[in-house]
Amino acid sequence: MNWDDTPEQAAFREEVRAFVRDRFPPSYGPDTEAEQSLEPEDVLGYTWPADRSGPDPVRREGARAWAAALAERGWIAPHWPVEYGGAGLSPMEEFILLEELMRARVPTVNGIGAFLLGPTLLVHGTREQKAEHLPPIARGERTWAQGFSEPGAGSDLAALRTRAVRDGDGYVIDGQKVWTSLGQYADWLFVLVRTDPDAEPRHRGITFLLVDAATPGVTVQPIVDLRGDTPFCEVFFEGVRVPESCRVGEENRGWYVAMTALGFERAGIGATIKYEQALNDLVAYVRSPEGRARTRTDRGASFRREIARRHTEIRVLANLARYTVSRQAAGAEPGFEASVNQLFGAELHQRLARTGAKAFGRSGALWERAGAPLNGTFTHMRRDAVAATFLGGAAEIQRNVIATRGLRLPRS
């Protein structure tokens, strides 16, 4: 299969590169002390939802100026229809745009709202829901977080216990969500709730609701991870009233809406570019005079073979992402192929982190960035990688999806 750009795609790629050169705010530089966000489309030194509302006025204004520049072109949500603030780009043009933003190491904007909720509303939302929620996302004015996982019901999403009880023309929600990525910065949440506790099988009693984070009864508490950072939070719902107009899809059929959202979550190119850049940085460093002095001297042929394997695996991941987007270009929604992408990428993340640790030997244990090889990038990557095989769906769940939906194997 030929993945080379067509002349039109090559011209669009150059257009994106020129746009970044001309419009990215020079004052909005990366925070070299910040931890890497765990979201696939975020780049080192930037967490756009936090930057746009943070205490630093320079970063805050830079984040908002960058969002405004992207919004002018419809490039916050490039694949959406123009009527909702998108640019109407083809799936491949969107792929090229995201690829070039990642290669330029500048942040994307409104990731969860633009890449998960928005496409889901375009498939399942009412005309009124699209008109209310999509334009603010496309302008960078409203951020979203995903409220799916719960204590005791993370990978087994059908076991969720957060309840929503009918009350007049709406619902009253009680329960708890956990590991909600960047939820402390979100204006709105999209959540799964149980509306039929007696449904069998369990996933048939789940409903998909949109919740304003400012609604009385919503409490958000950041969670500190093993790096000392707070990339996610837990959210408590106590008597939270939500109107019926905030339900997406039918009552008790929210599982199928959620599967659409998760398909879009697992289909991105962002991780591929980050791994490619990390490996290239590692190779350049070990070849440099400083690198030759500070990395292990017994690497030899075995280490070179390991670097070659990582390079090959990154190209495989890139082709998986391109295959997924080619299906979208043909009119198909992301399917089990997106789970292959997610699983392979998560395990590659861990292998790449271990490769870096081997290169640096004892220096790979240096946590403080100042004075550490490559600014401690691979030390921090190794900590990040601990969660890779259960973020966005545990490896076991991904294998089940691949087996049952892809290979058509029996469930038992």
Side-chain angles (χ1 to χ4, degrees):
M1 189 172 289
N2 183 7
W3 293 124
D4 291 342
D5 288 343
T6 66
E8 294 79 12
Q9 291 167 350
F12 180 68
R13 191 181 295 277
E14 287 303 320
E15 179 183 348
V16 175
R17 291 172 179 172
F19 172 82
V20 173
R21 289 194 302 268
D22 296 341
R23 299 298 303 275
F24 188 75
S27 62
Y28 188 26
D31 180 354
T32 57
E33 295 300 317
E35 294 298 338
Q36 172 67 63
S37 167
L38 300 179
E39 294 304 300
E41 277 75 34
D42 284 343
V43 299
L44 183 62
Y46 298 98
T47 302
W48 183 84
D51 294 339
R52 73 182 277 266
S53 58
D56 184 337
V58 175
R59 293 192 71 76
R60 187 169 62 245
E61 291 308 310
R64 294 178 179 181
W66 179 230
L70 288 167
E72 285 179 17
R73 304 292 295 269
W75 283 358
I76 288 179
H79 58 299
W80 295 4
V82 174
E83 65 179 300
Y84 296 124
L89 298 187
S90 69
M92 188 55 70
E93 287 172 327
E94 180 196 13
F95 184 94
I96 290 170
L97 172 63
L98 180 57
E99 186 177 22
E100 289 304 318
L101 293 179
M102 295 294 295
R103 289 198 188 284
R105 306 193 189 213
V106 298
T108 56
V109 168
N110 236 335
I112 291 176
F115 297 112
L116 267 70
L117 178 68
T120 303
L121 287 182
L122 288 171
V123 174
H124 296 284
T126 65
R127 182 180 298 273
E128 293 75 18
Q129 288 169 341
K130 295 173 188 176
E132 178 183 356
H133 295 294
L134 297 184
I137 296 172
R139 293 191 298 265
E141 297 172 356
R142 183 179 295 173
T143 57
W144 288 78
Q146 173 188 4
F148 284 9
S149 296
E150 297 185 5
S155 296
D156 184 11
L157 192 56
L160 66 85
R161 292 178 292 180
T162 294
R163 292 284 306 277
V165 178
R166 271 282 194 171
D167 184 40
D169 60 353
Y171 299 88
V172 177
I173 306 174
D174 289 279
Q176 178 187 0
K177 299 294 180 179
V178 73
W179 314 123
T180 304
S181 296
L182 306 177
Q184 61 269 46
Y185 309 114
D187 302 309
W188 280 70
L189 311 162
F190 55 98
V191 302
L192 291 180
V193 296
R194 184 163 296 285
T195 44
D196 183 356
D198 301 319
E200 289 293 340
R202 293 175 301 172
H203 70 269
R204 292 190 182 275
I206 291 171
T207 300
F208 192 109
L209 296 178
L210 310 178
V211 182
D212 187 337
T215 305
V218 176
T219 303
V220 178
Q221 295 183 356
I223 299 174
V224 179
D225 68 6
L226 54 76
R227 307 169 304 170
D229 196 28
T230 53
F232 31 60
C233 64
E234 52 188 341
V235 184
F236 298 90
F237 301 89
E238 297 179 272
V240 176
R241 294 185 174 272
V242 175
E244 185 178 5
S245 60
C246 285
R247 187 189 71 221
V248 180
E250 300 177 27
E251 185 174 298
N252 297 326
R253 301 280 290 177
W255 179 265
Y256 305 100
V257 181
M259 291 304 100
T260 297
L262 291 175
F264 287 112
E265 179 182 39
R266 296 165 183 160
I269 183 63
T272 304
I273 304 301
K274 287 197 290 192
Y275 301 158
E276 179 184 88
Q277 290 172 336
L279 184 63
N280 289 342
D281 290 347
L282 175 62
V283 170
Y285 183 81
V286 297
R287 285 175 170 172
S288 70
E290 179 186 347
R292 287 195 295 271
R294 298 198 64 183
T295 55
R296 291 175 52 179
T297 58
D298 60 343
R299 295 190 306 269
S302 64
F303 183 74
R304 291 195 294 273
R305 285 194 295 270
E306 186 163 345
I307 291 290
R309 283 194 293 270
R310 299 294 86 80
H311 176 78
T312 302
E313 290 162 353
I314 289 168
R315 300 322 307 155
V316 170
L317 186 62
N319 280 292
L320 288 172
R322 282 184 171 268
Y323 176 69
T324 300
V325 79
S326 72
R327 283 182 48 81
Q328 291 176 300
E333 291 184 23
F336 78 93
E337 300 88 357
S339 288
V340 175
N341 194 336
Q342 167 74 15
L343 176 62
F344 188 83
E347 294 183 342
L348 173 55
H349 186 179
Q350 295 175 339
R351 290 193 295 270
L352 181 58
R354 288 196 294 269
T355 296
K358 286 183 181 180
F360 295 123
R362 292 182 179 180
S363 295
L366 293 174
W367 181 253
E368 297 296 329
R369 294 186 182 275
L374 271 183
N375 201 35
T377 296
F378 278 86
T379 305
H380 289 249
M381 178 186 282
R382 200 172 189 190
R383 293 277 186 97
D384 295 345
V386 171
T389 46
F390 56 84
L391 284 173
E396 292 79 7
I397 298 299
Q398 304 293 5
R399 288 188 170 90
N400 284 340
V401 170
I402 295 165
T404 57
R405 297 184 188 175
L407 302 178
R408 305 295 183 185
L409 296 178
R411 292 183 177 274
S412 60

